[in-house]
Amino acid sequence: EGDYAREVVERLALSSPAVAFSLTEEGRRPLRLGVPLAAPEEILRQRLAEIIGDDFLMSAVPVALTQEGISLSGMIGLPTYNRPTAQQQYLFVNGRPVKDKLLLAAVRGGYGDLLPRGRHPALALFITLPETDVDVNVHPAKAEVRFRDTARMRGLVVSALRNTLLAQGQRAAPSLATSAPVCAFVML
């Protein structure tokens, strides 16, 4: 329960980076997130450093795309900064932290074959769209949402991530099946 409570506080702290948060648990290091003392455009970066770590910020790039009334922004880790679980994937829709299956699949699609199998990117994505284009009352804990146009939302996330990563000079490695070196051993 302590890990779950910590995760909830971290997600809320990222959704509201200008608000201070504190979590104290018996036997664990307290989580204290003060109000970042930074310029408005740097507040999120400072909060990300507090939650994910400075190493994430050194291996991350900003992503931004606005299209047809939908805005996507945030920081995404380069493919070389990957994790064994999706725990460091922070997704927000209209300021609400979510763990939505469509968005998680779109993240996988955006990274495509840039990541090794079984590895996950670290990122924080913030999506803002008209309230009429999203239903937040799908899940009892409000962790999932339903988009009116799922194909458009998936396409927006995939293209924003893919274009940002490709602009950084990252290239997808050919599949191991087609690029595996052929070795021959000859015994004399």
Side-chain angles (χ1 to χ4, degrees):
E1 291 299 322
D3 289 341
Y4 179 74
R6 189 176 195 92
E7 181 182 337
V8 169
V9 170
E10 287 174 349
R11 290 185 186 282
L12 289 172
L14 280 173
S15 70
S16 302
V19 176
F21 288 85
S22 178
L23 175 67
T24 305
E25 301 173 75
E26 189 175 317
R28 288 187 72 179
R29 181 179 56 88
L31 176 66
R32 287 191 173 72
L33 303 168
V35 177
L37 301 174
E41 63 276 1
E42 290 295 314
I43 288 176
L44 178 61
R45 289 180 58 83
Q46 189 172 340
R47 182 58 54 94
L48 284 167
E50 290 175 313
I51 293 175
I52 301 178
D54 288 324
D55 56 335
F56 167 73
L57 283 184
M58 292 187 309
S59 301
V61 294
V63 61
L65 179 66
T66 300
Q67 190 177 76
E68 300 175 23
I70 300 173
S71 172
L72 181 145
S73 64
M75 298 290 291
I76 61 173
L78 294 172
T80 53
Y81 186 87
N82 56 66
R83 298 288 171 251
T85 68
Q87 189 173 351
Q88 289 186 344
Q89 291 181 1
Y90 298 93
L91 305 170
F92 303 89
V93 175
N94 290 346
R96 177 189 306 265
V98 298
K99 286 187 174 182
D100 186 73
K101 293 174 189 171
L102 173 85
L103 295 176
L104 292 171
V107 166
R108 282 191 303 274
Y111 277 82
D113 58 356
L114 297 174
L115 288 174
R117 171 173 261 139
R119 303 297 291 185
H120 304 271
L123 53 82
L125 289 180
F126 300 85
I127 299 170
T128 305
L129 68 162
E131 297 288 334
T132 56
D133 289 349
V134 63
D135 182 1
V136 296
N137 295 314
V138 177
H139 189 272
K142 309 289 192 230
E144 293 181 24
V145 294
R146 182 174 297 130
F147 298 101
R148 184 185 324 172
D149 189 345
T150 56
R152 185 174 111 196
M153 182 55 62
R154 184 184 191 291
L156 182 107
V157 172
V158 169
S159 65
L161 296 180
R162 189 165 289 164
N163 292 339
T164 299
L165 293 171
L166 290 176
Q168 297 301 312
Q170 300 297 316
R171 300 292 181 257
S175 88
L176 292 176
T178 60
S179 66
V182 178
C183 296
F185 294 96
V186 178
M187 295 194 59
L188 299 172

